[in-house]
Amino acid sequence: MAVQYPIFQPTLNPLTQITRRRELPFAGEILVRAGQRVEPDDVIGRTLVPVRGQRFRVARVLGIDPGELERSLVLEDGSEVQAGQVVVETRRGRPRVWRAPIAGTLSTAEVKRGYVVIVPPAEPLEVLAHLKGFVVSVEPYRAAVIQTAGVLVRGAFGLGGIQHGVMRVVVTDPGDDLAPEMLDERLAFCVLIGGATVSAATLKRAVELQVRGIITGSVSEEALASFLGYSDPGRWQIGVVDWSFPPDSAQRRFPLTLIVTEGFGRRAMCRRTFELLAAHDGAEVSVDGRTCLHGPNLRFPEVIIPLPGAEAEPSPGETLLPGAEVRLLSYAHLGRAGTVVALPRAARPVVCGARGRVAEVQLEDGAVLEVPVENIEILCPQAAAER
């Protein structure tokens, strides 16, 4: 059973020191050096990504035995092959030939089983900085670490990889929906700030306009399934052992980065989050939709707004302390915000009847609630709230 424990790290930080590692998937060439300043579009490294070989059932196509196939090869193992080049030529009876349908490198590892394998050339891959900052260290042939001062906002769920662009606020209120008619050609290559939710039509319109990312409060299950073509309702049921989302075809080339700050359904974006993002309308922003909610690789989608020249300290660790601004996650109070006024040491009874650690939270209307710490998400640590 997968269990998610609260990490008590702030979801909003108006100014902090941000360090991110940009890594090549395979050993390659790192093009930057420590101390160098980088822009989002700068290439920090390049490598070659191996491509899986394609198997061709040549023996059956030519109507010969696998043993004869090995004797009929006109090229040696490891030879470079061009598309249309003769690879196999039979000499018994009427001559027949088999030409390579693709270019690549010939492999005869499975020729005794009647197959010829051609491995296409490796594909070049460049990794961008995606972040404005300074390179603080380099791992030869593998990675570069970039550091910057800026705004850090964590989301609840996301899809898509790392993107960057100019941030544009499209709605006027965090409770407004981002509609298709709000989008036009002027928003191409931008990262958009929505309000409550987006529809499948809005996501499709954004892809048509080459929008790089959307940050919104929530998204419905139906809209996301429709956008991704994930039409099998049974795949969404709890207990399906081979469940995966998004489907493999969509996950490999997700057309934009989507970051949801509140969750599924229809919920307005937290006003504090919306105001923090809107204050930087027109700024360069980096968004990362990769999400893993449990396990050793725990990570949440994030929005980074670099602030060149600002002085900042590293992000604090666990900061559930009196004075921290928090948001409640329990069903009865979902989305309500308040301030931690006390953290009793002794365990106290909670709604389910068990005893556990609680926090006393004063809501915006003045009411004070005892809330299990597992039902709390930190908006800002005390130091950030004071700034």
Side-chain angles (χ1 to χ4, degrees), residues 221-222 224-226 228-237 240 242-245 247:
E221 170 188 327
E222 293 79 9
L224 202 55
S226 175
L228 294 173
Y230 210 57
S231 57
D232 183 2
R235 303 285 297 175
W236 295 78
Q237 297 176 0
V240 178
D242 59 345
W243 184 89
S244 63
F245 186 84

Side-chain angles (χ1 to χ4, degrees), residues 109-328:
E110 298 188 53
V111 69
K112 293 183 178 180
R113 299 175 56 193
Y115 292 92
V116 168
V117 178
I118 298 178
V119 182
E123 297 180 352
L125 173 69
E126 294 184 338
V127 174
L128 303 182
H130 283 299
L131 193 63
K132 180 183 293 185
F134 291 89
V135 178
V136 294
S137 66
V138 170
E139 181 182 338
Y141 313 109
R142 201 67 185 187
V145 178
I146 302 173
Q147 191 173 88
T148 188
V151 178
L152 177 63
V153 177
R154 290 187 175 93
F157 172 76
L159 288 172
I162 307 174
Q163 291 280 3
H164 68 273
V166 176
M167 186 167 62
R168 296 296 184 190
V169 180
V170 186
V171 300
T172 58
D173 187 86
D176 294 340
D177 293 343
L178 184 59
E181 56 270 17
M182 297 179 179
L183 310 184
D184 56 37
E185 289 75 10
R186 293 173 295 179
L187 300 176
F189 309 114
C190 291
V191 175
L192 311 185
I193 308 300
T197 190
V198 292
S199 63
T202 301
L203 294 173
K204 292 175 182 177
R205 176 62 174 162
V207 172
E208 293 174 0
L209 296 175
Q210 301 183 63
V211 169
R212 289 184 174 175
I214 293 179
I215 305 169
T216 185
S218 59
V219 65
S220 69
E221 170 188 327
E222 293 79 9
L224 202 55
S226 175
F227 174 64
L228 294 173
Y230 210 57
S231 57
D232 183 2
R235 303 285 297 175
W236 295 78
Q237 297 176 0
I238 296 175
V240 178
V241 295
D242 59 345
W243 184 89
S244 63
F245 186 84
D248 291 340
S249 58
Q251 190 171 17
R252 284 195 296 267
R253 299 193 181 276
F254 195 77
L256 54 78
T257 295
L258 174 67
I259 294 181
V260 176
T261 63
E262 313 302 314
F264 285 94
R266 188 189 185 282
R267 299 189 179 275
M269 183 183 295
C270 171
R271 184 167 294 275
R272 183 69 185 270
T273 303
F274 182 82
E275 291 175 351
L276 178 59
L277 294 173
H280 297 277
D281 184 26
E284 190 83 27
V285 63
S286 172
V287 292
D288 188 350
R290 295 175 297 175
T291 307
C292 183
L293 299 180
H294 59 83
N297 298 319
L298 177 71
R299 63 167 292 115
F300 294 89
E302 62 182 18
V303 180
I304 297 175
I305 307 173
L307 300 176
E311 295 184 2
E313 298 295 329
S315 298
E318 295 193 356
T319 55
L320 185 59
L321 301 170
E325 294 185 28
V326 297
R327 178 168 49 189
L328 306 187

Side-chain angles (χ1 to χ4, degrees), residues 13-35:
N13 207 320
L15 181 60
T16 184
Q17 188 181 91
I18 303 166
T19 303
R20 293 295 179 265
R21 176 184 172 93
R22 297 288 185 251
E23 185 174 3
L24 298 174
F26 301 92
E29 180 184 10
I30 299 299
L31 305 177
V32 295
R33 64 185 184 278

